[in-house]
């Protein structure tokens, strides 16, 4: 008896992980809309591929918020240490950086992706590029548009791993949203995650400081506080510490129209110490030089203080010290989803079973950013994509075993 044919739609980390879990268990075909495989994966590693995070698993699991209860089984089955072992099997050495993030020693994605694709080919996985998924035919067959015209594909099971809607030029367009809604699947609106935010800067501040880093600060919002760095942009702010708060900031802006992010410009000095330093005689020195000497702040921090705080309203040492320790930045909107590192929203988690199969479309499995979860940068995103992809692939194997005698095409009757 010939092996069942399985379609994996999408060649990002989740799709390739599903294909790997299926290798040798079925006749696996991976379909990709772009001209080559794993394009977003490659760009994600442009400045150093952050594979996963080295913190304790129990802490790691807390990074997924409300989605933890659904993702936990998959994450425990393929935890960070397993990812390092997987990379090692592909011939890629890894190391844990000072922040706990795990990287390949080469810091590049391309060697890992080449080795991964080669291993999938050796396992019999077949790949098809320039195949844009258009949904299902009435008989349940998948349909694609290709440079050669329309193509259909009959599959005993399907894994959809089409990503969210960030970086659409690399293939993550979110087009699948309407295709699944038409089949009765509940899909939450896709929203930017791990993104920057707009702030209205004066032209002087924007022209002089756009692109400048703001280092060693502490950001606070809605009871969450963390140290880090950020970058001043032409339109506002971005950076890893901003991304870590982006979900809460985005939701507050949606509900209230704006959000106030509080910045401590000098976290390692108390307000009392700053007040004392600022109380010393200024003499004839300029205001900026006086601030620099009294506080140690660089020109970017001094300019941001003057941008966000009206020094003329209360120039007292105590007021300036308070502003340095608690500077309010009014965030007006998140940057567009096309610029975001990842996206939130997607298929409601209530729509899938424990094997990542859609309850309303038996035989159709989903993985990665298509699902309604989000996590901060730091290796969490990639780990969950790999883990859910493998879980979906394992789910397909279990499904094929249970339906070996009578497996309807995926989507039929939906």
């Amino acid at each position: 008896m010939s092996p069942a044919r399985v379609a994996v739609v999408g060649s990002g980390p989740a799709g390739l992980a599903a294909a790997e879990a299926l290798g040798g268990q079925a006749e696996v075909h991976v379909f990709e809309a772009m001209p080559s495989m794993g394009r977003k994966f490659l760009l994600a590693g442009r400045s150093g591929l952050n594979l996963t995070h080295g913190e304790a698993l129990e802490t790691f699991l807390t990074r997924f918020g409300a989605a933890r209860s659904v993702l936990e089984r998959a994450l425990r089955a393929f935890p960070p240490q397993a990812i390092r072992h997987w990379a090692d099997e592909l011939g890629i050495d890894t190391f844990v950086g000072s922040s706990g993030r795990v990287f390949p020693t080469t810091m590049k994605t391309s060697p890992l992706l080449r080795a991964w694709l080669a291993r999938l080919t050796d396992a019999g996985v077949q790949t098809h590029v320039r195949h844009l998924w258009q949904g299902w035919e009435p008989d349940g067959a998948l349909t694609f548009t290709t440079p050669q015209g329309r193509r259909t594909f009959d599959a005993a099971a399907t894994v959809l791993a089409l990503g969210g809607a960030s970086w659409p030029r690399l293939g993550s367009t979110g087009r699948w949203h309407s295709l699944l809604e038409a089949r009765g699947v509940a899909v939450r609106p896709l929203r930017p995650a791990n993104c920057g935010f707009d702030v209205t800067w004066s032209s002087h501040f924007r022209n002089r400081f756009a692109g400048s880093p703001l280092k060693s600060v502490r950001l606070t919002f809605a009871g969450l506080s963390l140290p880090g760095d950020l970058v001043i942009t032409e339109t506002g702010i971005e950076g890893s510490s901003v991304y870590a708060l982006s979900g809460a900031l985005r939701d507050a802006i949606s509900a209230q129209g704006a959000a106030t992010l509080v910045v401590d410009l000098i976290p390692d000095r108390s307000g009392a110490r700053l007040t004392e330093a600022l109380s010393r005689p200024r003499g004839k020195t300029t205001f900026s030089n006086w601030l620099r000497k009294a506080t140690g702040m660089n020109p970017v921090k001094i300019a941001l203080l003057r941008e966000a705080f009206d020094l003329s309203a209360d120039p007292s040492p105590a007021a300036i010290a308070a502003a340095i320790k608690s500077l309010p930045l009014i965030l007006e909107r998140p940057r567009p989803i096309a610029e975001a590192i990842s996206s939130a929203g997607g298929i409601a988690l209530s729509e899938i079973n424990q094997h990542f199969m859609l309850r309303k479309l038996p035989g159709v499995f989903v993985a990665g950013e298509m699902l309604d979860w989000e996590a901060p940068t730091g290796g969490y995103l990639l780990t969950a994509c790999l883990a859910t992809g493998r879980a979906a692939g394992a789910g397909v194997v279990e499904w094929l075993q249970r339906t070996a005698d009578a497996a309807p095409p995926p989507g039929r009757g939906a």
Side-chain angles (χ1 to χ4, degrees), residues 215-341:
K215 293 184 173 294
S216 301
V217 297
R218 176 171 284 275
L219 307 183
T220 301
F221 180 75
L224 301 173
S225 182
L226 70 160
D229 305 332
L230 58 84
V231 176
I232 304 297
T233 69
E234 287 191 359
T235 59
I237 58 172
E238 64 181 23
S240 58
S241 57
V242 178
Y243 303 153
L245 297 171
S246 62
L249 290 166
R250 178 201 62 223
D251 293 347
I253 292 171
S254 177
Q256 303 164 16
T260 301
L261 178 67
V262 176
V263 183
D264 183 346
L265 294 172
I266 312 179
D268 59 348
R269 293 178 69 182
S270 68
R273 286 182 59 199
L274 284 170
T275 300
E276 180 184 358
L278 291 166
S279 297
R280 295 167 191 155
R282 174 177 162 184
K284 296 183 179 181
T285 188
T286 65
F287 182 80
S288 291
N289 277 336
W290 172 67
L291 267 181
R292 177 180 58 80
K293 291 177 180 178
T295 66
M297 291 194 299
N298 63 19
V300 182
K301 289 186 176 182
I302 292 172
L304 183 61
L305 174 66
R306 303 182 79 160
E307 181 78 4
F309 176 68
D310 184 2
L311 292 166
S312 64
D314 186 353
S316 68
I320 295 173
I324 291 171
K325 295 297 294 180
S326 188
L327 188 69
L329 288 185
I330 308 301
L331 309 188
E332 298 168 350
R333 67 192 69 83
R335 294 298 299 161
I337 196 169
E339 298 177 14
I341 291 176

Side-chain angles (χ1 to χ4, degrees), residues 21-53:
L22 283 159
Q25 308 289 323
E27 180 187 315
V28 184
H29 294 256
V30 178
F31 296 91
E32 169 56 51
M34 301 300 286
S36 58
M37 312 287 277
R39 286 200 165 191
K40 185 177 177 182
F41 184 38
L42 281 171
L43 188 62
R46 181 177 57 182
S47 59
L49 177 62
N50 185 190
L51 272 175
T52 187
H53 202 286

Side-chain angles (χ1 to χ4, degrees), residues 398-410:
E398 189 270 345
W399 164 261
L400 293 175
Q401 290 171 346
R402 285 198 297 111
T403 60
D405 296 328

Side-chain angles (χ1 to χ4, degrees), residues 182-202:
R183 293 291 179 118
V185 177
V187 184
R188 312 296 186 217
L190 293 169
R191 299 166 294 160
N194 291 296
C195 59
F197 291 86
D198 286 346
V199 179
T200 298
W201 300 131
S202 66

Side-chain angles (χ1 to χ4, degrees), residues 10 61 252 258-259:
L61 292 170

